[in-house]
Amino acid sequence: MPDDALATRAHAPTSEATSSHQDWMSRAEALALPTRHRIAGADADGSGSTFAVVSPRDGRTLALVADAGEKEVDLAVAAARRAFDTGPWPRLSPADRGRTLLRIAALIEEHRSTLALTVTLENGKPITESYAVELRALANTFRWYGQLADKLTDTAPHTDPTALALVTREPSGVVGAVVPWNFPLTLAAWKMAPALAAGCTVVLKPSELTPLSALLLGRIADEAGLPPGALNVVAGDGPTAGRALGRHPDVDVLAFTGSTAVGRHFLHYAADSNLKRVWLELGGKSPNIILPDAPDLAAAAATAAWGIFFNQGEMCTAPSRLLVHESVAEEVTAAVVERAGTLRVGDPLDPATEMGALAGAARVDSVEEHVRRGAEGGARLRAGGVRREVVPGGSYFAPTVFDRVTPDMPLAREEIFGPVLSVLTFASLDEAVALANDTEYGLAAGLWTSDLSTAHTVARRLRAGTVWVNCYEEGDVTVPFGGYKQSGNGRDKSVHAMEKYTELKTTWIQL
């Protein structure tokens, strides 16, 4: 789900990320956290009501953060509207906008350890992943769109010699961006960076579980030279702040990443307000197909285990359905089970930790319920399936593997969003493709084969926005990301993301 940083496999050595456990704990104790909205280039308290941000690491309250209601959303949207209608941002040259995004990227690098630590405390992922994956993706995204900003061109179609036709792209206006807690900065950047590069202004609403890093990013963007109101960050929950942003008549485009159920709400909000365009990146139940001619079965099994347990399994592209040919099913499953048993579940502030805390107690409860239903439904539990006591008060769960899963089971159909792998077997290639496509989702898929023709033909048959062949979760910001079916519409990343934040205008001049 993040970009090329995943090639680091979350444990590439970096000077700060390999600081000691005690050093990160000391930094956490001294960390000053932002608690106020960022509106029109300044901190804002709003109505005075607050909500607690609780760390899944240990259940401790990190901060009491200003809680946005309709009034605060109105103020943020009004600031973005002024900045778009009369402010300098849309009127700057693309090169000048690009230079500002590059300054944001440079400041992200400067504040990298603070941002990474904030993400780990509010999200629960290991500090090595926050530093080497999340923050690298964040900086890369702003840097790439900063470099792209002045590279886009308009067109002049060939017409009758008596006329001149121009087709130009113009910024859409005010963008509302609502992002989840699993990659709070990466997914914010995927929305913000192309929107800002296009000349739009933005109101960002992060998840109420992880607002702190987004509030800090808002201050960094202002420090980099964004005009007041070009980026505004409001903290609040979905039913109040998210709904207010979705229904707001002065929001021109809404970009959302999250669950399919909530995505439906935003479509209703648009229909009930100004018919704003709504771009959705939603859930997934991604298949990972291993054929018997995979070039390296051990590597395929290791990647399958890494993919489902990375980020605690809290990832929309997680390869949660492992589809294995019956002739190699036990060999592959046994290797994944062995890895699940050796994976180090630990304190997210310990650089040696490989899997940290789930996003909170409610997440653990949900995963535990899925495991209970799976076992009662006839699947065989091969590994995990229990809570872990790592840091007192924290939210930890063991890496979990089920086999003997059938396509009709909830384990094979519902997005668990946790470290739970379901193994299904198949006897033929056609059966594998049918199993892979037998889902309401279509976000991603994996395929392991040594046959080039099989790779191409199966990739074309899979109904998914991304197909990885002999790898998983690879790629970078140059390629588009998004889904088919109920996994959403539109694309994040790449030049194609600019299409979401621009309008096509035709100018016909009679000569």
Side-chain angles (χ1 to χ4, degrees):
M1 187 165 189
D3 65 7
D4 58 322
L6 285 184
T8 66
R9 286 295 181 263
H11 293 284
T14 55
S15 58
E16 290 184 290
T18 54
S19 297
S20 71
H21 187 185
Q22 184 57 52
D23 183 45
W24 282 115
M25 290 179 66
S26 298
R27 293 190 198 188
E29 290 297 324
L31 187 63
L33 296 168
T35 60
R36 305 163 74 191
H37 309 298
R38 191 71 177 177
I39 300 175
D43 289 341
D45 288 320
S47 62
S49 62
T50 61
F51 65 94
V53 177
V54 176
S55 176
R57 173 183 176 264
D58 56 6
R60 179 172 62 92
T61 295
L62 295 170
L64 296 177
V65 176
D67 192 5
E70 290 189 10
K71 176 184 175 182
E72 289 73 29
V73 172
D74 281 343
L75 290 171
V77 173
R81 184 85 265 162
R82 287 193 303 273
F84 184 78
D85 289 345
T86 62
W89 185 250
R91 294 157 188 84
L92 291 176
S93 71
D96 284 339
R97 289 200 297 268
R99 279 188 279 271
T100 302
L101 297 188
L102 292 174
R103 285 196 295 272
I104 293 174
L107 284 176
I108 288 168
E109 296 286 10
E110 186 176 323
H111 296 280
R112 186 170 183 170
S113 62
T114 299
L115 285 163
L117 181 57
T118 303
V119 168
T120 286
L121 289 175
E122 64 183 355
N123 168 281
K125 68 177 67 184
I127 187 63
T128 47
E129 291 176 7
S130 295
Y131 190 95
V133 177
E134 183 101 25
L135 265 297
R136 182 180 172 189
L138 174 67
N140 281 354
T141 301
F142 273 99
R143 187 177 298 113
W144 195 81
Y145 282 103
Q147 294 166 341
L148 177 69
D150 64 348
K151 309 299 189 299
L152 303 176
T153 59
D154 296 322
T155 60
H158 289 193
T159 64
D160 185 279
T162 63
L164 173 65
L166 303 175
V167 180
T168 56
R169 283 195 174 271
E170 299 180 355
S172 294
V174 175
V175 174
V178 180
V179 298
W181 45 262
N182 59 330
F183 290 95
L185 293 181
T186 299
L187 298 178
W190 286 5
K191 271 58 169 166
M192 292 161 49
L196 291 169
C200 295
T201 58
V202 178
V203 178
L204 172 67
K205 193 207 84 67
S207 166
E208 63 271 25
L209 298 182
T210 55
L212 304 173
S213 55
L215 292 169
L216 182 55
L217 180 59
R219 286 152 180 77
I220 288 172
D222 286 331
E223 182 183 344
L226 275 182
L231 172 63
N232 309 272
V233 185
V234 291
D237 65 17
T240 303
R243 180 177 184 273
L245 196 58
R247 291 177 59 88
H248 206 290
D250 275 337
V251 173
D252 301 296
V253 176
L254 196 290
F256 171 73
T257 293
S259 72
T260 299
V262 175
R264 288 191 176 93
H265 287 305
F266 279 104
L267 292 175
H268 285 294
Y269 299 155
D272 293 340
S273 56
N274 61 342
L275 292 177
K276 60 177 65 65
R277 281 186 292 161
V278 178
W279 300 106
L280 303 172
E281 193 267 284
L282 306 175
K285 192 68 177 175
S286 299
N288 187 21
I289 304 169
I290 299 181
L291 299 178
D293 71 337
D296 186 335
L297 278 178
T303 302
W306 172 84
I308 187 60
F309 303 136
F310 171 69
N311 209 57
Q312 299 69 247
E314 296 167 328
M315 193 163 59
C316 54
T317 54
S320 55
R321 291 187 295 147
L322 180 58
L323 311 184
V324 194
H325 190 273
E326 58 189 17
S327 66
V328 295
E330 181 53 34
E331 178 183 352
V332 170
T333 304
V336 174
V337 168
E338 181 181 3
R339 179 57 183 143
T342 60
L343 195 71
R344 180 167 179 170
V345 180
D347 183 351
L349 293 180
D350 184 351
T353 290
E354 295 176 291
M355 198 175 96
L358 273 67
R363 280 276 81 233
V364 175
D365 290 343
S366 175
V367 171
E368 189 173 52
E369 175 63 14
H370 278 287
V371 169
R372 182 191 65 79
R373 290 167 55 203
E376 292 177 354
R380 180 172 64 168
L381 182 63
R382 295 285 299 269
V386 296
R387 296 171 184 250
R388 284 280 184 87
E389 288 293 330
V390 175
V391 179
S395 302
Y396 300 88
F397 204 85
T400 300
V401 179
F402 280 97
D403 67 358
R404 297 181 183 170
V405 178
T406 57
D408 59 317
M409 291 180 180
L411 283 175
R413 309 205 70 81
E414 297 177 7
E415 185 179 35
I416 298 174
F417 225 67
V420 180
L421 181 66
S422 299
V423 181
L424 298 87
T425 61
F426 60 87
S428 69
L429 187 58
D430 286 342
E431 183 185 0
V433 173
L435 282 172
N437 288 334
D438 184 20
T439 173
E440 65 187 21
Y441 300 110
L443 191 57
L447 173 66
W448 296 78
T449 179
S450 293
D451 188 275
L452 184 62
S453 179
T454 298
H456 282 293
T457 56
V458 173
R460 290 177 180 179
R461 294 173 66 188
L462 293 174
R463 298 287 294 164
T466 299
V467 178
W468 287 289
V469 179
N470 296 332
C471 61
Y472 206 90
E473 285 294 351
E474 301 294 348
D476 59 30
V477 73
T478 65
V479 294
F481 176 79
Y484 288 21
K485 300 189 282 187
Q486 292 187 41
S487 288
N489 57 53
R491 294 296 182 264
D492 287 324
K493 302 197 305 175
S494 81
V495 68
H496 301 284
M498 302 289 286
E499 298 167 6
K500 301 196 297 187
Y501 308 112
T502 54
E503 304 286 351
L504 282 177
K505 175 178 285 185
T506 295
T507 303
W508 186 279
I509 303 171
Q510 197 68 39
L511 301 179

